[in-house]
């Protein structure tokens, strides 16, 4: 595909656009203002790349893991964009993009453990062991929640400051070239949201 858009809001906000052999990316480190910044970042990116949003042929979205409040903004935006244009949605774990950026492009790439603050004194953790035959990080554990009291530091640990949307684009292209599938479009919250629907209304007898 010649024009791909990527969106991730699991750690701050990151958007990237690829057209032909050109790739652009913009990020915001604000971990709470996703709704306020995502539209501006996308508009700026399209303008700088001189690309019309109507030419996008696929939308790549980071599905987490990440906090409920932030992660849903990016997924909702990506789904709306893809639905509006009638183009495919390509969901990928953000941790896969981080691991890919840390691994050399060799069959014997060292293992990587991606860790991310999950709040409530917990961490999101995914472990990868080298690259598979298609050149994609091979997950061996997770994503899962780990309490901070159970965390033991390892040399292979990576703590991302953001999820690189440009790497999500590259991973999507690798999958498409190899004829591989993508993740479910369901967000990886790994825990139930704080706000839950109210239960059935109780009848009050006279």
């Amino acid at each position: 595909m010649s024009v791909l858009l990527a969106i991730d809001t699991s750690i701050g906000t990151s958007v990237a656009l690829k057209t032909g052999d050109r790739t652009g990316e913009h990020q915001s480190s604000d971990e709470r203002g996703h709704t306020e910044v995502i539209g501006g970042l996308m508009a700026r990116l399209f303008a700088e790349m001189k690309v019309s949003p109507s030419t996008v042929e696929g939308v790549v979205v980071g599905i987490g893991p990440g906090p409920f409040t932030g992660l849903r903004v990016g997924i909702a935006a990506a789904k709306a964009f893809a639905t509006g244009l009638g183009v495919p949605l390509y969901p990928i774990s953000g941790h896969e993009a981080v691991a890919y950026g840390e691994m050399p492009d060799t069959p014997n790439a060292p293992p990587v453990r991606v860790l991310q603050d999950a709040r409530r004194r917990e961490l999101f953790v995914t472990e990868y062991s080298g690259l598979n035959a298609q050149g994609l990080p091979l997950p061996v554990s997770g994503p899962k929640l780990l309490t901070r009291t159970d965390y033991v530091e390892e040399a292979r640990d990576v703590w991302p400051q953001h999820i690189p949307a440009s790497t999500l684009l590259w991973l999507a292209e690798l999958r498409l070239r190899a004829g591989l599938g993508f993740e479910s479009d369901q967000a990886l919250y790994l825990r139930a949201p704080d706000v839950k629907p109210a239960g059935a209304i109780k009848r009050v007898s006279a």
Side-chain angles (χ1 to χ4, degrees), residues 7-197:
I7 299 172
D8 188 277
T9 54
S10 56
I11 308 177
T13 303
S14 179
V15 297
L17 183 66
K18 186 177 187 301
T19 174
D21 58 357
R22 295 188 301 129
T23 301
E25 182 173 8
H26 284 305
Q27 302 164 357
S28 168
S29 59
D30 187 345
E31 295 190 11
R32 297 185 182 276
H34 310 281
T35 303
E36 292 78 9
V37 304
I38 190 170
L41 290 177
M42 291 174 63
R44 178 181 166 194
L45 188 60
F46 280 111
E48 290 181 357
M49 297 282 289
K50 294 181 172 57
V51 172
S52 169
S54 65
T55 63
V56 170
E57 299 172 75
V59 181
V60 186
V61 61
I63 56 169
F68 177 80
T69 303
L71 191 54
R72 64 178 178 168
V73 173
I75 294 177
K79 286 182 176 180
F81 203 101
T83 300
L85 290 177
V87 299
L89 184 72
Y90 301 119
I92 299 177
S93 167
H95 283 191
E96 182 176 318
V98 175
Y100 184 83
E102 294 291 326
M103 291 179 176
D105 188 13
T106 63
N108 298 317
V112 169
R113 185 168 70 161
V114 182
L115 297 112
Q116 177 185 342
D117 182 16
R119 301 170 188 169
R120 302 185 191 174
R121 300 179 182 178
E122 292 180 312
L123 303 170
F124 295 124
V125 183
T126 312
E127 298 184 54
Y128 296 87
S129 179
L131 303 174
N132 63 17
Q134 290 75 34
L136 299 168
L138 184 63
V140 294
S141 176
K144 62 185 178 183
L145 283 170
L146 178 72
T147 63
R148 285 190 175 270
T149 54
D150 291 333
Y151 168 65
V152 178
E153 184 178 2
E154 297 184 12
R156 62 200 179 106
D157 288 352
V158 178
W159 294 82
Q161 298 301 307
H162 70 280
I163 302 300
S166 56
T167 306
L168 288 174
L169 288 175
W170 178 243
L171 291 173
E173 290 204 322
L174 284 178
R175 287 173 180 258
L176 289 169
R177 290 173 189 168
L180 300 176
F182 288 81
E183 309 291 342
S184 162
D185 63 3
Q186 299 302 304
L188 296 174
Y189 301 127
L190 303 189
R191 70 160 75 97
D194 293 329
V195 179
K196 298 180 179 180

